[in-house]
Amino acid sequence: MHGACTLACCPECGYTTVDIGRSRSAGLLAKLFSSRKPETIVAATLDVAALGEDVAIAGFAENMTTGHRELLRAYGIEPGRMVRVGQHSPVTVVRVDETEIALEADLARLIFIGAAP
Amino acid sequence: MGGHRQTPMAGETPRKAGVVALVGHPNVGKSTLFEALTGHRVIAANYPGTTVEIVRAFGRRLDDTFIDSPGILSFPSRTEDEQATVRVLLDSAPVGVLQVGDAKNLRRTLLVTVQLAEMGLPLTLALNMADEAEDRGMPDRAEELSRLLGIPVVATTAVRGEGIGTLEEAMRAPRTPSIRVGYPEPIEAALRRLAEILPDGSLSERSVALLFLAGDPVADEWVRDHLDGRRVGEMVRLRKNAAEELGSSLSSAILAARIAIVDSLLADGIGTSVIGEQIRNRRISRLTTHPVWGIPLLAAVLFGLYWFVGVFGAGTLVGWLEGALFGEYINPWLSAGLDRIVALDWLRDLLVGEYGLWTMGMTYALALILPIVATFFFAFGLLEDSGYLPRLAVLTNRIFKAMGLNGTAVVPMVLGLGCVTMATMTTRILSSKRDRLLVILLLALGVPCSAQLGVVMGMVGGISMTALMIWGFVVAGVLVAVGWLAARLVPGDRSVFVAELPPMRRPPMRPLVLKTVARVEWYLREVLPLFLVGSVLLFALDRLDALQWLVGVAEPLVVDWLRLPAEAATAFMMGFFRRDFGATGLFLIAGAGLLTPLQIVVSMTTITLFVPCVASVLMIAKERGAKTAAAVTALVFPLAILIGGLLSRALEFVGWGA
Ligand SMILES: Nc1nc2c(ncn2[C@@H]2O[C@H](COP(=O)(O)OP(=O)(O)OP(=O)(O)O)[C@@H](O)[C@H]2O)c(=O)[nH]1
């Protein structure tokens, strides 16, 4: 196979498959239609927390930037504390003490939660 | 200096008058309290980021100079307005700090308190918004806190002037806080070494060292300004070593230690409330960000704004002032009077001629613009104080996401509808350089200011609803397209939307009216001279026949490309100075029956996309540097002309409005 070829052919039966991973247009399409949710949900995250519930913050995902982590903690969203979930659309809104914080799903997804004790 | 520095121990501090800095979270009432203490009016509003510049004034009853600073969430500073606050603390040699906190959010408030405590300055804590804490059934904890922290703590309700007297009394005998945060050993070791290197300043070396370790950009700058290269190098090395030894981010470790102290303070009796129960305004507040109900509510708000400013201000009031008062009485009377007194032709022209200081400069500024900005400022103040703007950010986040921005950008964009120049300044509340640049570009490109909006509404709206929709659609389309493109070209990542939503409040009338008056005054002081300069400039160009020449240069573009009558070139030249000038010029040309509906829509679209005015370009230069200002201008003008020409052809093609 040379560089641009994206076909793989079974030497036994002659069945031809396409290596989607090597196709630019397929890659682009996949990007366009991909849902950006992570494939495996390891733990419950804030973006899917039930509305109206009090949930405990369990931690932050590895890939959250230090800047965001510190910003959230300064707002009072930090491991061990309770927040009340108000809404998820258009963005997630939670209440910590008497402060309402609005945050995008992209960020809420990086916040792990546990149930209220 | 450094005479009042002392080990962080409790104790009476001898009181000498000097600079006292007001520091606290965004939107806790610092400006309101500042006003109560000094009688000096600063603009306060119910969204974080109202104070983007520092203001200073003498105390009314205390002999101090107070400084109102932009809100800070925690140290190190993240945004430019937070950095202004750190700069105040480092550079203004304060003799004390007045922390303004939110009585209903003690935890967050105390997080700032422990950081201020480290600075070794006498500290007073005002627990503001005491009324809201009371509404939520929270007990007054000032005394308890005062005991724990070793400083005066006073509950205040700044909007009603409650607790101000007590606060002033307490500030006469401020004390240095008794709490001290302990950090992990690698940090403590670094702090000891850093403190030896740091020069004397008004803040304790420990606190400056902490800012430096946490990577505060202002502290970095300060250190570089005050120490030679060798010592700076030594400090940077100490920071690097400490981070390596710690094995994690220094700023996170510092924050964690502070949070731990706050937790222990709160455990010492000031139990945090469980999340409060439903209270009055929360229902409305919920509706404003509701995915479904939020939209009609927004439409209603926009319509109200349009009606009050566009119909009442730009129509009714301008009609009275410009049409009747100036047009029929003052100006004819003045011209006639001057005709008799002033013999010199050019001098008379300079005053009351076509580009006269009075007939153009003053008349435009006072009769045409003033009513519009006054009504706008009032309506806008209403919006600000109600707490609606940050909620608008929630609703529009998705649109801004498409442009590589986040909902926070809506605040400067909406402010731009008042005055683009002022809005350019508020881009400081955005957290990244990239966002600020993008918003400034969009503001310059397609956000019409109140003055211009009125003209556009009158002219395009006068044709038909379709015409107005074409204009709106093209301008919005260009904004989104350019935003989308620019977001991909300007390096850097989009910043994710995180914002605090202040509670919805019913705006109190008195501050609202005063605020409007203060803004109008500001507008007159800042903008009136510009009008005068602008008209002198136009006068000179006209006298020297340079205008004719410039118009000659512009004509091919205007006539051949935009397919407008030659007269329109003059309007576009005027639009170069202020796009509302240009719009008004086109208004006159259209009034003379020289423009077809198609040409009106094309010319209005083009002028809307022009750079707003000389003042806004100067503001961009001031905020972002001359290079950016030049680049924005160089991009916007050709783009505006290009879009205009294309629109003209497109409309012709579909056979609209010829
Ligand atoms: N209920 C209540 N509202 C208050 C009180 N003090 C101020 N406000 C309101 O709170 C809002 C914010 O006040 P500002 O004085 O602008 O707050 P700030 O801390 O200066 O805000 P930034 O400059 O944005 O950091 C305004 O709408 C005020 O009218 C108070 O004691 N009680």
Side-chain angles (χ1 to χ4, degrees):
Chain A
M1 284 196 307
H2 67 78
C5 177
T6 59
L7 295 179
C9 179
C10 170
E12 300 290 319
C13 67
Y15 180 76
T16 322
T17 59
V18 187
D19 180 359
I20 294 177
R22 297 189 52 180
S23 154
R24 286 224 179 143
S25 28
L28 199 72
L29 262 181
K31 233 191 221 168
L32 276 179
F33 294 106
S34 76
S35 71
R36 260 173 282 140
K37 298 241 160 128
E39 263 135 48
T40 46
I41 295 176
V42 262
T45 49
L46 189 59
D47 60 316
V48 292
L51 295 182
E53 292 290 307
D54 289 352
V55 295
I57 303 295
F60 301 127
E62 284 282 306
N63 54 340
M64 183 189 286
T65 63
T66 315
H68 280 143
R69 210 173 286 222
E70 288 172 9
L71 182 67
L72 291 175
R73 298 182 76 180
Y75 274 133
I77 301 180
E78 47 158 335
R81 306 213 52 216
M82 303 291 294
V83 303
R84 179 170 294 175
V85 184
Q87 65 181 73
H88 283 311
S89 168
V91 300
T92 300
V93 176
V94 297
R95 192 141 57 81
V96 196
D97 288 344
E98 288 300 327
T99 314
E100 274 191 304
I101 310 289
L103 60 162
E104 226 168 68
D106 285 345
L107 191 60
R109 194 171 296 134
L110 302 180
I111 303 172
F112 299 127
I113 53 166
Chain B
M1 269 207 280
H4 52 267
R5 180 163 341 117
Q6 43 183 262
T7 42
M9 261 181 34
E12 290 282 335
T13 313
R15 181 85 168 98
K16 60 176 184 192
V19 169
V20 173
L22 269 78
V23 180
H25 278 136
N27 209 40
V28 291
K30 286 182 300 301
S31 303
T32 314
L33 200 61
F34 176 81
E35 191 207 315
L37 290 169
T38 63
H40 181 96
R41 189 154 287 282
V42 249
I43 295 201
N46 192 8
Y47 61 87
T50 331
T51 313
V52 290
E53 288 209 306
I54 61 160
V55 191
R56 47 169 87 215
F58 278 116
R60 241 201 299 233
R61 277 177 289 270
L62 294 170
D63 291 332
D64 300 288
T65 306
F66 289 90
I67 298 192
D68 186 17
S69 65
I72 185 152
L73 205 58
S74 81
F75 302 93
S77 51
R78 262 167 279 262
T79 60
E80 284 185 9
D81 49 335
E82 288 189 342
Q83 280 153 23
T85 302
V86 176
R87 219 163 270 137
V88 164
L89 289 168
L90 280 171
D91 291 339
S92 68
V95 299
V97 175
L98 169 58
Q99 186 197 344
V100 188
D102 180 349
K104 63 183 186 298
N105 280 304
L106 278 187
R107 171 179 291 268
R108 285 175 58 188
T109 302
L110 291 181
L111 190 57
V112 173
T113 314
V114 296
Q115 301 176 60
L116 292 172
E118 284 167 340
M119 298 183 175
L121 291 172
L123 181 65
T124 310
L125 172 59
L127 287 178
N128 196 37
M129 311 251 174
D131 55 331
E132 293 192 343
E134 203 181 299
D135 275 356
R136 288 164 170 75
M138 305 166 117
D140 179 357
R141 291 186 153 137
E143 233 164 82
E144 200 177 346
L145 269 177
S146 173
R147 196 162 30 75
L148 283 170
L149 299 166
I151 54 169
V153 179
V154 180
T156 59
T157 301
V159 269
R160 292 199 224 125
E162 288 169 19
I164 306 297
T166 321
L167 180 64
E168 284 168 331
E169 223 24 71
M171 287 183 71
R172 285 183 204 280
R175 302 167 69 190
T176 315
S178 55
I179 40 167
R180 183 193 168 101
V181 187
Y183 298 96
E185 189 40 38
I187 295 181
E188 287 290 347
L191 285 176
R192 282 191 295 273
R193 298 286 304 281
L194 288 170
E196 284 164 20
I197 304 174
L198 278 168
D200 268 7
S202 46
L203 307 187
S204 74
E205 281 107 3
R206 184 179 168 88
S207 66
V208 179
L210 277 163
L211 283 174
F212 180 80
L213 283 184
D216 186 285
V218 181
D220 245 59
E221 196 183 290
W222 189 86
V223 163
R224 277 167 219 281
D225 284 350
H226 287 78
L227 291 175
D228 56 43
R230 192 182 55 78
R231 282 185 231 177
V232 173
E234 171 73 7
M235 288 186 67
V236 173
R237 200 181 51 75
L238 281 169
R239 177 163 64 188
K240 200 162 144 262
N241 289 351
E244 272 164 17
E245 205 177 316
L246 196 69
S248 71
S249 139
L250 285 173
S251 54
S252 297
I254 291 173
L255 179 65
R258 288 169 176 163
I259 289 176
I261 285 280
V262 171
D263 280 343
S264 73
L265 275 176
L266 289 171
D268 272 359
I270 311 181
T272 41
S273 66
V274 193
I275 293 169
E277 280 322 304
Q278 287 294 332
I279 62 151
R280 252 180 300 135
N281 293 344
R282 214 162 265 155
R283 187 176 302 250
I284 312 171
S285 124
R286 181 74 51 77
L287 284 184
T288 55
T289 55
H290 192 276
V292 179
W293 295 114
I295 307 295
L297 214 65
L298 171 61
V301 168
L302 289 180
F303 182 78
L305 191 68
Y306 164 74
W307 184 87
F308 188 66
V309 179
V311 179
F312 176 69
T316 317
L317 289 184
V318 169
W320 286 345
L321 279 173
E322 201 211 7
L325 188 65
F326 276 69
E328 286 171 26
Y329 298 100
I330 302 182
N331 289 1
W333 175 82
L334 209 69
S335 310
L338 284 175
D339 271 347
R340 251 176 287 135
I341 309 168
V342 182
L344 292 171
D345 255 4
W346 65 267
L347 186 59
R348 205 170 45 227
D349 265 8
L350 177 64
L351 293 172
V352 294
E354 192 185 352
Y355 304 110
L357 277 173
W358 181 267
T359 34
M360 187 180 210
M362 290 299 252
T363 309
Y364 269 59
L366 296 181
L368 204 87
I369 318 292
L370 188 67
I372 301 176
V373 296
T375 44
F376 180 82
F377 285 151
F378 184 83
F380 203 78
L382 207 66
L383 271 187
E384 281 183 339
D385 285 357
S386 64
Y388 188 68
L389 283 185
R391 284 151 213 283
L392 194 55
V394 168
L395 287 180
T396 53
N397 186 47
R398 211 161 273 168
I399 302 170
F400 284 99
K401 198 171 175 176
M403 294 192 267
L405 288 165
N406 71 54
T408 321
V410 82
V411 175
M413 296 283 263
V414 173
L415 278 167
L417 294 176
C419 169
V420 174
T421 311
M422 183 172 82
T424 303
M425 206 164 96
T426 50
T427 55
R428 289 186 203 167
I429 63 168
L430 302 177
S431 58
S432 79
K433 236 187 184 127
R434 173 181 170 281
D435 288 12
R436 287 192 291 268
L437 189 66
L438 288 176
V439 172
I440 283 180
L441 173 65
L442 295 180
L443 275 171
L445 181 65
V447 176
C449 64
S450 50
Q452 191 193 8
L453 204 59
V455 179
V456 170
M457 291 288 163
M459 231 167 125
V460 182
I463 305 173
S464 66
M465 198 61 197
T466 322
L468 201 58
M469 276 164 66
I470 295 175
W471 171 83
F473 187 76
V474 173
V475 171
V478 169
L479 271 185
V480 173
V482 169
W484 187 85
L485 211 71
R488 268 144 199 84
L489 295 178
V490 177
D493 286 327
R494 165 177 181 270
S495 32
V496 175
F497 178 63
V498 200
E500 181 184 343
L501 304 178
M504 292 286 284
R505 301 193 177 99
R506 186 205 315 241
M509 235 346 122
R510 202 187 83 100
L512 179 58
V513 171
L514 291 179
K515 171 153 102 175
T516 308
V517 171
R519 278 184 171 159
V520 166
E521 185 197 310
W522 167 83
Y523 182 86
L524 288 179
R525 249 207 323 261
E526 295 287 310
V527 182
L528 193 75
L530 262 174
F531 271 89
L532 299 181
V533 171
S535 48
V536 171
L537 221 65
L538 285 180
F539 172 79
L541 285 174
D542 182 49
R543 278 276 145 170
L544 303 171
D545 274 339
L547 202 57
Q548 292 309 317
W549 175 80
L550 278 174
V551 168
V553 175
E555 245 180 46
L557 272 181
V558 173
V559 178
D560 302 339
W561 173 248
L562 291 177
R563 300 184 174 170
L564 299 174
E567 288 84 347
T570 334
F572 279 104
M573 285 315 304
M574 281 157 59
F576 188 81
F577 294 99
R578 279 188 75 95
R579 52 184 184 190
D580 53 297
F581 271 20
T584 327
L586 289 166
F587 192 84
L588 297 176
I589 295 170
L594 293 173
L595 298 178
T596 61
L598 183 151
Q599 287 175 323
I600 291 181
V601 172
V602 168
S603 58
M604 279 295 121
T605 308
T606 312
I607 205 98
T608 306
L609 295 175
F610 262 35
V611 167
C613 61
V614 180
S616 74
V617 175
L618 291 180
M619 182 58 88
I620 300 178
K622 193 174 141 218
E623 292 285 309
R624 299 288 136 223
K627 243 194 229 153
T628 308
V632 167
T633 317
L635 180 76
V636 167
F637 278 116
L639 188 67
I641 305 269
L642 176 75
I643 302 286
L646 292 179
L647 178 63
S648 170
R649 279 155 188 78
L651 290 180
E652 205 164 296
F653 183 75
V654 298
W656 186 88

